[in-house]
Amino acid sequence: MLSVFDIQVVTNAEELSLKAAEEFVHRAEEAVQARGIFTIALAGGSTPKSLYTLLATDTASFREQVPWNKVHFFWGDERHVPPDHPDSNYRMVQERLLSQVPVPPENVHRILTENPDLGKAAHEYEQVLRDFFELHEGKWPRFDLVLLGMGPDGHTASLFPGTNAIHEQTHLVAAPWIEKQNTYRVTLTPPVLNNALCTIFLVSGAEKAEALQAVLEGNPEPERFPAQIIRPKQGTLLWLVDQAAARLLQKQA
Ligand code: 6PG
């Protein structure tokens, strides 16, 4: 069973994005007020697409509320593709959000996955994090907000079942081989993801229901369901899920 966390079941994907946008704005205002900066590690995939669009287009509710020049964007994971590739998480965010709001280019910290040597790209990104967060050895970056998705197999970021990145406790960034996708990925590692001030999972759709029930209510099996690894040590964890994804949850019934 996971440690303390909140589950918020919303009607559908549209309400999921609305709630996530409200959380984004709230966390951004709070962070900038407290520290003059808001650092976020973004989720890739398709679920967050409408959130990113909403933040850029819903002027009154969201766009105008965010001090974009004080937001620093990082990625939770990235595919082994160049930044202009259709599968690029960076490209997805660039098209839907970053090209639409006044974020200074120096605030966008993408993973340089055009590098044929993805291990090198992971190492470089780790250095970007160390420099930006001014980390000494053994210290972890503390994002104000980490957004995560979850696959139907219970993976999150690029922590896939049975991969070595699940057990990474030394490095900040890893480049695991993902057998079932026949590709390497770059991903933030569990110690980084678990050090965030606020972590929000965005899970939508009936195809996620079985994995969600196993992750939230099943026995601890992080090898099989890596999303179970996400248990922030000193931060809040919110599972924002829609009714279709939550349909097998017993506790929420
Ligand atoms: C990625 C994501 C990945 C994603 C899940 C859910 O690069 O694909 O980081 O972890 O969040 O696979 O993806 P969907 O939102 O597309 O279902």
Side-chain angles (χ1 to χ4, degrees):
M1 198 55 164
L2 281 174
S3 57
V4 175
F5 56 89
D6 283 332
I7 302 175
Q8 202 171 348
V9 180
V10 296
T11 313
N12 51 36
E14 186 185 353
E15 195 188 343
L16 189 89
S17 299
L18 267 171
K19 291 282 182 197
E22 286 166 8
E23 283 291 331
F24 180 103
V25 169
H26 170 62
R27 295 292 170 171
E29 287 172 340
E30 206 174 58
V32 168
Q33 193 167 13
R35 290 172 297 282
I37 188 174
F38 176 52
T39 58
I40 179 168
L42 296 167
S46 54
T47 304
K49 286 181 177 177
S50 45
L51 161 61
Y52 300 145
T53 299
L54 200 55
L55 288 169
T57 55
D58 189 327
T59 310
S61 312
F62 307 118
R63 183 194 167 96
E64 296 293 305
Q65 314 302 322
V66 179
W68 295 106
N69 64 325
K70 297 189 187 315
V71 182
H72 281 262
F73 292 91
F74 298 82
W75 275 256
D77 72 328
E78 188 55 278
R79 291 84 180 276
H80 194 187
V81 294
D84 58 354
H85 190 281
D87 291 347
S88 164
N89 286 333
Y90 163 79
R91 173 175 155 174
M92 181 269 284
V93 178
Q94 170 63 18
E95 285 176 345
R96 290 170 173 271
L97 178 58
L98 300 179
S99 57
Q100 310 295 322
V101 293
V103 174
E106 62 271 20
N107 289 24
V108 180
H109 312 274
R110 74 175 179 88
I111 307 171
L112 305 182
T113 46
E114 60 271 37
N115 190 327
D117 178 350
L118 214 58
K120 191 166 183 302
H123 180 73
E124 285 170 357
Y125 205 58
E126 177 154 338
Q127 199 51 55
V128 165
L129 293 174
R130 287 196 183 287
D131 295 345
F132 183 86
F133 287 94
E134 298 173 347
L135 299 177
H136 299 297
E137 269 311 303
K139 295 293 181 194
W140 306 101
R142 189 160 171 72
F143 286 101
D144 291 307
L145 177 59
V146 167
L147 294 179
L148 290 170
M150 188 192 75
D153 60 355
H155 83 261
T156 189
S158 283
L159 302 174
F160 283 81
T163 60
N164 52 12
I166 295 174
H167 306 293
E168 182 57 55
Q169 292 295 321
T170 308
H171 290 289
L172 281 60
V173 187
W177 172 255
I178 315 298
E179 186 60 36
K180 74 177 197 178
Q181 297 196 1
N182 196 36
T183 184
Y184 282 100
R185 291 263 191 112
V186 176
T187 185
L188 298 185
T189 57
V192 175
L193 296 172
N194 277 327
N195 201 41
L197 205 56
C198 171
T199 303
I200 302 176
F201 272 99
L202 307 175
V203 185
S204 167
E207 75 280 6
K208 308 288 177 78
E210 276 186 52
L212 191 65
Q213 196 281 332
V215 167
L216 294 181
E217 299 179 343
N219 296 324
E221 293 182 270
E223 274 284 338
R224 274 186 71 197
F225 302 107
Q228 286 187 331
I229 293 169
I230 305 303
R231 294 195 308 255
K233 292 184 180 53
Q234 292 160 320
T236 60
L237 172 58
L238 169 62
W239 285 82
L240 257 184
V241 303
D242 68 9
Q243 283 172 353
R247 69 184 164 82
L248 297 178
L249 294 183
Q250 306 301 313
K251 307 283 187 301
Q252 296 302 315

